[in-house]
Every structure is written in structure tokens, then in C-alpha cells.
Amino acid sequence: EIVLTQSPGTLSLSPGERATLSCRASQSVSSNYLVWYQQKPGQAPRLLIYGASSRATGIPDRFSGSGSGTDFTLTISRLEPEDFAVYYCQQYGNSPRLTFGGGTKVEIK
Amino acid sequence: EVQLVESGGGLVQPGGSLRLSCAASGFTFSTYGMNWVRQAPGKGLEWVSYISRSSNSIIYADSVKGRFTISRDNAKNSLYLQMNSLRDEDTAVYYCAREPIAVSGLDYWGQGSLVTVSS
């Protein structure tokens, strides 16, 4: 089973700053199979990025994804007030079919 | 507008059963794979189960295999999760989520249904 480790656990930043979130896999993951979500308190997750770097429909271009192999990154170029949330990476595997990282909370400094 | 609405959650004793439903609208339900994902209180996301468009592919997480059954009724635009032999650790908000193309991510989620397993 591939384990996804997200770091840092919490990122304290101010609006306008750049956020860099890491997702490291215990084994190599196909870039096609790496996904990112955003979740705000009391809400369902929202799809941000699929295929490691493709933005989902309606996602602003301040969100970008990159990486390959075992290291993937979600970057938010300039944080807006609505971007403070928890972010999860997810990968597709054989068993289990989907696994999620533990999440990174982006909080207001 | 795409909508997924879960129902059927509640309080159940350990060893009990519960059936969750997910009513879909605003899209052609029969052309999408569907998943159940859960989130224990204050914790991260855990995938539970997947069913393909025509129900010919069904997959479970090891943690629920043999206890949970996923199914769908394309004529009723509905997804189900039958949960038996429930344990304390099954306590979570259960989300149904749509998967437009295999391995492309889950693009629409319901609001979630809380299942609490406690005596």
C-alpha cells in the first residue's frame, strides 16, 4: 500500500503570501494518478488538481500542481482569504483503490 | 446543477446495521463511477468503496470488506451503502462522490451523512 505523507501539518501564512504544500509518496506514483482537494470546515472536499498538474473546472489559476515520482507539490501563488483551509493529496493505487494524505492546514498567521 | 444528497445516517449500536442513500440529480448518473468516502470526527479522509457505471466493478477498502455493500440503481439515480456489523471505528461523516473518468479525481461530493456507532 502506498502511503502519502503531507507536510507541513500546519502552514501559517498571511493573505497575499505564497503557499507551498508537499505530498510525498512511499513509492513512485504515476503523475496521472495524483489529485489535490481543498476542504473548509463543515464542507465536503473540493477537487482542485488532477493528473498532478491539471486544474479542475472553475479552479483559479493561482492554484498549481507539480511533481513526479514520489514528490508532489501544490502551490498557491497568492493566498486569498477564502484559501485558508485543509488540503489533501490523493493517489490511485491497486489496493486500496484510493488513498489520501493526512492533510495540510493552511491557517491565517 | 449537479447535486448529490446523502441520507440514512444516524446513531446505531455496535454490531448494528444502517443503509445510506445518495440521491443524484443534474447529470446523467448512469455514466459516472461513484465512490463512498468517510471522515471520522476531526480526522482525515478515508476511501470506503467504488462502483462502476454499470456495477460490473465493485471495490472495497480492507477496513470494510465483508461488512459493507455498495450498490446503485441507475433508474432511480441513486447510490447506496449497506453497512452491517458496525464498529465504533466506523463513526464518521460518509460522503458520496462522483468520478467522471477513472483516476481523474472525485469532482462532486455530497454534503455528507453522519453515522455514529455507540452503545
Side-chain angles (χ1 to χ4, degrees):
Chain A
E1 175 183 343
I2 295 178
V3 176
L4 299 178
T5 301
Q6 292 188 241
S7 62
T10 302
L11 198 52
S12 298
L13 295 168
S14 300
E17 290 194 294
R18 181 184 187 90
T20 303
L21 287 65
S22 172
C23 175
R24 179 162 290 176
S26 58
Q27 303 173 43
S28 184
V29 172
S30 168
S31 297
N32 293 333
Y33 296 171
L34 200 286
V35 181
W36 290 93
Y37 301 91
Q38 175 195 69
Q39 187 179 32
K40 297 179 181 179
Q43 296 185 17
R46 172 193 182 195
L47 177 65
L48 294 177
I49 301 285
Y50 64 93
S53 60
S54 298
R55 275 187 299 276
T57 303
I59 301 303
D61 60 7
R62 64 180 181 273
F63 290 92
S64 63
S66 63
S68 64
T70 59
D71 290 300
F72 297 88
T73 301
L74 175 69
T75 301
I76 311 170
S77 58
R78 288 179 56 86
L79 282 164
E80 297 287 342
E82 62 267 27
D83 299 337
F84 292 92
V86 179
Y87 293 83
Y88 294 95
C89 58
Q90 174 240 301
Q91 68 92 27
Y92 285 88
N94 289 327
S95 181
R97 184 172 183 269
L98 277 75
T99 53
F100 292 91
T104 290
K105 181 179 181 180
V106 178
E107 66 176 21
I108 299 176
K109 186 174 182 180
Chain B
E1 178 193 5
V2 172
Q3 282 200 312
L4 296 168
V5 180
E6 300 95 339
S7 61
L11 175 63
V12 61
Q13 292 188 336
S17 298
L18 215 53
R19 188 194 197 205
L20 300 182
S21 299
C22 171
S25 60
F27 65 102
T28 306
F29 180 69
S30 61
T31 63
Y32 290 84
M34 297 295 296
N35 293 267
W36 287 100
V37 177
R38 68 185 180 184
Q39 186 169 35
K43 302 297 184 181
L45 301 168
E46 179 188 13
W47 170 76
V48 173
S49 185
Y50 164 83
I51 186 168
S52 64
R53 295 174 295 179
S54 57
S55 304
N56 59 1
S57 176
I58 289 176
I59 310 171
Y60 298 99
D62 286 346
S63 57
V64 306
K65 201 175 295 183
R67 301 187 299 121
F68 289 13
T69 302
I70 191 172
S71 62
R72 65 189 296 162
D73 185 335
N74 288 341
K76 294 183 177 179
N77 293 330
S78 293
L79 174 72
Y80 306 101
L81 186 68
Q82 177 67 43
M83 303 184 293
N84 298 331
S85 304
L86 282 161
R87 306 167 179 167
D88 290 351
E89 57 265 33
D90 294 319
T91 293
V93 173
Y94 285 74
Y95 296 100
C96 61
R98 187 181 86 164
E99 188 168 348
I101 303 171
V103 304
S104 65
L106 310 181
D107 68 342
Y108 279 93
W109 298 59
Q111 86 289 349
S113 183
L114 176 62
V115 173
T116 303
V117 184
S118 175
S119 54

